[in-house]
Amino acid sequence: GAVVSQHPSWVICKSGTSVKIECRSLDFQATTMFWYRQFPKQSLMLMATSNEGSKATYEQGVEKDKFLINHASLTLSTLTVTSAHPEDSSFYICSARGAGVSYEQYFGPGTRLTVT
Amino acid sequence: GNSVTQMEGPVTLSEEAFLTINCTYTATGYPSLFWYVQYPGEGLQLLLKATKADDKGSNKGFEATYRKETTSFHLEKGSVQVSDSAVYFCALGGRQFYFGTGTSLTVIP
């Protein structure tokens, strides 16, 4: 149980275009989803937290107009990188947390974005 | 505030050697502690967790004990295998997760 998927797993796009990454909780309802960014050989950096049906809360330094997050249902959150540039190339990982007292997060497999 | 300090790597061990990766934390309240493993090109997989002081998490031969007195959650394995080569992240979890910087482990035959 507690499986989180991401799609696509790998995407290449041209500079200036937008890319959408999906994060789905497959067997539980995710009241909260998190989006992380990971640079090579570095730790995860939390970008934003989203609760179903409400606006995402972005961490300091993360451009909300560039990284659009939508959490429209209890099983789906999307991250759209708008007007992507090469410096946006990174590994994006989502995680999901269900309702209840446990704060455990379940992580997706990640999406490798390369902007050319 | 909350934070995690993790032993820096990279760590290189011979197969069947003993592994310790140190992790200490600073936290308010009573967080849960986690170890995640990341294989090349993949996302994070939960390795083990402990939810309260003196709990021991264990999985696949790895162990870690939640030590409140030393604010530590060191990861240990008695005999590593080549397949254990990966990056290991210590994390402190509450409403938000705080990750250590990761420790790269390479096990050579």
Side-chain angles (χ1 to χ4, degrees):
Chain A
V3 178
V4 176
S5 70
Q6 278 184 245
H7 177 79
S9 56
W10 178 67
V11 58
I12 299 175
C13 71
K14 291 187 177 180
S15 188
T17 61
S18 295
V19 173
K20 180 184 284 188
I21 302 170
E22 292 186 349
C23 177
R24 293 182 184 273
S25 58
L26 299 185
D27 51 3
F28 69 102
Q29 293 186 326
T31 52
T32 306
M33 285 186 167
F34 304 85
W35 286 96
Y36 296 85
R37 183 173 180 178
Q38 186 181 29
F39 292 100
K41 300 185 186 297
Q42 295 189 27
S43 189
L44 281 71
M45 180 191 79
L46 179 64
M47 298 175 66
T49 302
S50 72
N51 293 296
E52 185 265 338
S54 60
K55 289 185 178 180
T57 302
Y58 290 81
E59 295 299 303
Q60 192 172 5
V62 177
E63 300 176 62
K64 58 182 67 176
D65 293 332
K66 181 166 190 61
F67 298 99
L68 301 179
I69 292 172
N70 182 276
H71 191 167
S73 78
L74 285 171
T75 59
L76 173 65
S77 176
T78 60
L79 167 67
T80 302
V81 183
T82 62
S83 187
H85 291 285
E87 57 266 30
D88 299 324
S89 299
S90 193
F91 194 52
Y92 293 89
I93 301 175
C94 75
S95 70
R97 186 175 71 203
V101 298
S102 170
Y103 288 127
E104 185 168 343
Q105 293 183 22
Y106 302 96
F107 287 82
T111 296
R112 172 78 58 196
L113 170 63
T114 301
V115 184
T116 61
Chain B
N2 294 346
S3 67
V4 174
T5 302
Q6 188 175 339
M7 182 176 96
E8 289 191 20
V11 174
T12 301
L13 294 173
S14 297
E15 204 165 22
E16 299 184 1
F18 184 85
L19 167 71
T20 299
I21 301 178
N22 290 337
C23 172
T24 57
Y25 67 91
T26 302
T28 54
Y30 304 96
S32 295
L33 298 172
F34 304 84
W35 276 100
Y36 286 88
V37 58
Q38 185 178 34
Y39 297 100
E42 298 184 14
L44 271 65
Q45 298 177 27
L46 177 65
L47 181 59
L48 53 84
K49 67 179 180 180
T51 58
K52 61 183 187 297
D54 299 326
D55 268 4
K56 177 186 282 188
S58 61
N59 185 27
K60 300 180 181 179
F62 291 90
E63 293 184 340
T65 301
Y66 190 156
R67 301 283 189 200
K68 192 175 179 184
E69 64 276 13
T70 54
T71 61
S72 65
F73 193 56
H74 305 322
L75 182 68
E76 296 181 335
K77 186 174 185 181
S79 176
V80 294
Q81 305 300 313
V82 172
S83 56
D84 294 327
S85 298
V87 179
Y88 293 81
F89 291 94
C90 183
L92 184 157
R95 297 194 66 80
Q96 183 173 324
F97 267 45
Y98 299 85
F99 286 90
T101 51
T103 301
S104 175
L105 170 66
T106 301
V107 180
I108 54 177

